[in-house]
Amino acid sequence: MTDLKAPGSPGTEVPRADHEFTVQQRSQTQLILRRFLRHRAAMISLVVFLLILLWAFVGPHLWHYSYQKYTPDNSQPPSVKHPFGTNAAGYDAYAQVMRGTQTSLKIALLTALGSTLLGAVWGAVAGFYRGVVDAVMMRVTDLVLTLPLFAIALVISSRTGGDWYWIAIVIAGLTWAYVSRVVRSTVLSLREKEFVEAARALGASDARIIFRHLLPNTLGPIIVNATVLVATAILTETALSFLGFGVQPPDTSLGLLVSQAQTAVDTRPWLFYIPGAFIIAIALTINFIGDGLRDAFDPRQQRVRQ
């Protein structure tokens, strides 16, 4: 018969843990970055978008042709000398697409920056004060949202001379309202949190509470909306330039290149499809990056879609 001994009694060996289990604590920023890095489509899109940025802004300084320089090679198909071919006037299409991509990206990035800054501050102030201030500011926002974006942008852009920064300002002035509504709804829930009450008790001013405590906590929705605005600005600029109300020669943009090549689709298709492919590539990569950021900041969105 086997003797049963209580644990800890003489002659009984107690197993000892050779290893201690530790849990590494991660900050919120580390968790967001980790989730974003796991989003394969977003990471591939980010790499592609950064390569396009590098090519558009650094490439013109390394390429031996200028987008404004004539060459004796008229209407040449893509070759080693001219990778994207040339147009009827002898311009190197590779140099022109680089310049067009650069201009379109400058418009898109400036639009996203201006629209996001204005919309975030407007929405944060409206959500923080509520009452009459909120009602008046949101009626202004609703008015902007009811304006036909493309029609108003077309009318205003036709009077600005085709400078890329004016086009960016016009588009930003018509799209900030989307950001403001998202930020306002987030601030309405955050303003009742304990950390806001603690800041008030410590004597923090309204401006400090808004810019130091509320806006940083709405960073997730702000960044996601900013990526959407980049894609929106690219497509809006393309449409304006295609109709002749956007960027004007001697400068160029992707939309203008597509517009100028629409009559040569059958004879010189490279002039039409290559800038069109860049428009599609930029819009798709930005959308995938936005999807990855949304899932990173709010992983519940990914579970709902699955």
Side-chain angles (χ1 to χ4, degrees), residues 53-137:
L53 273 176
L54 186 66
W55 176 76
F57 286 91
V58 179
H61 301 287
L62 304 177
W63 188 240
H64 48 274
Y65 289 115
S66 169
Y67 75 99
Q68 293 179 307
K69 181 180 179 181
Y70 289 101
T71 70
D73 307 317
N74 299 337
S75 300
Q76 294 296 311
S79 62
V80 175
K81 186 178 181 181
H82 303 286
F84 292 171
T86 61
N87 61 15
Y91 287 112
D92 180 67
Y94 188 81
Q96 288 211 316
V97 173
M98 278 195 293
R99 175 63 179 185
T101 304
Q102 181 186 128
T103 303
S104 295
L105 286 173
K106 287 192 293 187
I107 292 173
L109 295 176
L110 182 59
T111 297
L113 178 62
S115 184
T116 300
L117 288 176
L118 177 59
V121 173
W122 189 276
V125 171
F128 179 77
Y129 286 108
R130 298 194 303 183
V132 177
V133 174
D134 180 37
V136 173
M137 295 181 73

Side-chain angles (χ1 to χ4, degrees), residues 172-191:
L174 295 169
T175 54
W176 62 268
Y178 298 97
V179 180
S180 69
R181 294 195 69 87
V182 173
V183 173
R184 171 186 174 269
S185 63
T186 307
V187 169
L188 283 174
S189 61
L190 289 175
R191 71 184 302 276

Side-chain angles (χ1 to χ4, degrees), residues 4-85:
L4 298 177
K5 296 181 180 180
S9 60
T12 303
E13 293 185 2
V14 180
R16 297 175 60 185
D18 295 330
H19 302 282
E20 293 183 0
F21 293 95
T22 58
V23 178
Q24 183 181 2
Q25 187 176 3
R26 294 185 175 90
S27 66
Q28 184 69 14
T29 303
Q30 290 175 325
L31 291 174
I32 292 172
L33 181 60
R34 185 181 182 186
R35 288 194 291 264
F36 181 72
L37 293 175
R38 287 181 174 179
H39 198 292
R40 184 175 300 176
M43 289 304 302
I44 295 174
S45 298
L46 180 61
V47 171
V48 173
F49 182 69
L50 291 177
L51 290 175
I52 292 175
L53 273 176
L54 186 66
W55 176 76
F57 286 91
V58 179
H61 301 287
L62 304 177
W63 188 240
H64 48 274
Y65 289 115
S66 169
Y67 75 99
Q68 293 179 307
K69 181 180 179 181
Y70 289 101
T71 70
D73 307 317
N74 299 337
S75 300
Q76 294 296 311
S79 62
V80 175
K81 186 178 181 181
H82 303 286
F84 292 171

Side-chain angles (χ1 to χ4, degrees), residues 234-266:
I234 281 281
L235 297 177
T236 304
E237 180 278 322
T238 298
L240 290 173
S241 297
F242 184 82
L243 294 175
F245 295 97
V247 176
Q248 300 295 323
D251 204 352
T252 190
S253 70
L254 292 176
L256 182 59
L257 290 174
V258 170
S259 175
Q260 292 173 337
Q262 61 180 319
T263 58
V265 175
D266 296 328

Side-chain angles (χ1 to χ4, degrees), residues 42 101 113 120 135-136 143 150 173-174 196 205 224 236 261 266 274 286 292:
T101 304
L113 178 62
V136 173
L143 175 63
F150 186 75
L174 295 169
V196 176
S205 64
V224 172
T236 304
D266 296 328
I274 291 177
I286 291 298

